Amino acid sequence: MSSAPTRPGLVNAFKVSCHATTLLVLLQAALAGLFISGEESGAQDQHEVMANVLFLAVAVQLVLAFLVRGWGQFRLMYWVAVLLVLSIAQIGLGYASEDNTLPEAIHIPLGVFTFGLALVISTLAIVEDRPRGSAA
């Protein structure tokens, strides 16, 4: 009993949540670009709402990661936990940047890092589920 059995339905749900999260982070960047450039005045409100949706999506992704294999047997779950912490930090920095520019200076590059991590998680969700072949 070295590893918990995987459930195909949960694995697929986890993969879908990974890809959806990555797309949500990309959408966040697009909304941020719209309101920073002044193109769309309502984009800042949409960016704020989408941050909360993204937080919920990552929380669901973390629960699915746990249900797929349990604690300690699915290392990808720890990366998703880091993504959840980054999402919380991004929300805090986003609200704090309304009053001064230092949080915004951290918020933007951290958003780029968050997108990179979400993309890595999406990629690993596909790669880690593949059966391991022999080294022949």
Side-chain angles (χ1 to χ4, degrees):
M1 290 208 152
S2 62
S3 66
T6 59
R7 300 173 192 127
L10 287 176
V11 171
N12 288 335
F14 176 71
K15 287 180 185 179
V16 168
S17 74
C18 290
H19 303 322
T21 297
T22 302
L23 290 174
L24 286 172
V25 174
L26 187 59
L27 178 60
Q28 276 292 78
L31 290 171
L34 283 173
F35 79 78
I36 287 173
S37 68
E39 289 289 321
E40 182 67 41
S41 61
Q44 185 168 3
D45 294 333
Q46 294 169 350
H47 183 75
E48 181 180 342
V49 169
M50 190 60 63
N52 295 315
V53 170
L54 180 60
F55 167 76
L56 290 175
V58 176
V60 167
Q61 185 179 350
L62 184 59
V63 169
L64 286 170
F66 174 74
L67 292 175
V68 167
R69 300 244 176 99
W71 294 111
Q73 297 176 346
F74 193 43
R75 66 184 170 148
L76 195 50
M77 182 174 54
Y78 298 109
W79 289 114
V80 176
V82 170
L83 189 61
L84 184 65
V85 170
L86 289 177
S87 298
I88 293 167
Q90 282 291 81
I91 290 170
L93 287 167
Y95 284 123
S97 66
E98 292 175 359
D99 296 332
N100 79 52
T101 58
L102 179 61
E104 188 174 23
I106 299 167
H107 182 72
I108 294 171
L110 189 58
V112 173
F113 179 76
T114 300
F115 174 71
L117 181 59
L119 190 59
V120 166
I121 291 169
S122 280
T123 303
L124 289 176
I126 295 169
V127 172
E128 285 195 358
D129 191 43
R130 290 186 182 165
R132 307 277 195 277
S134 62

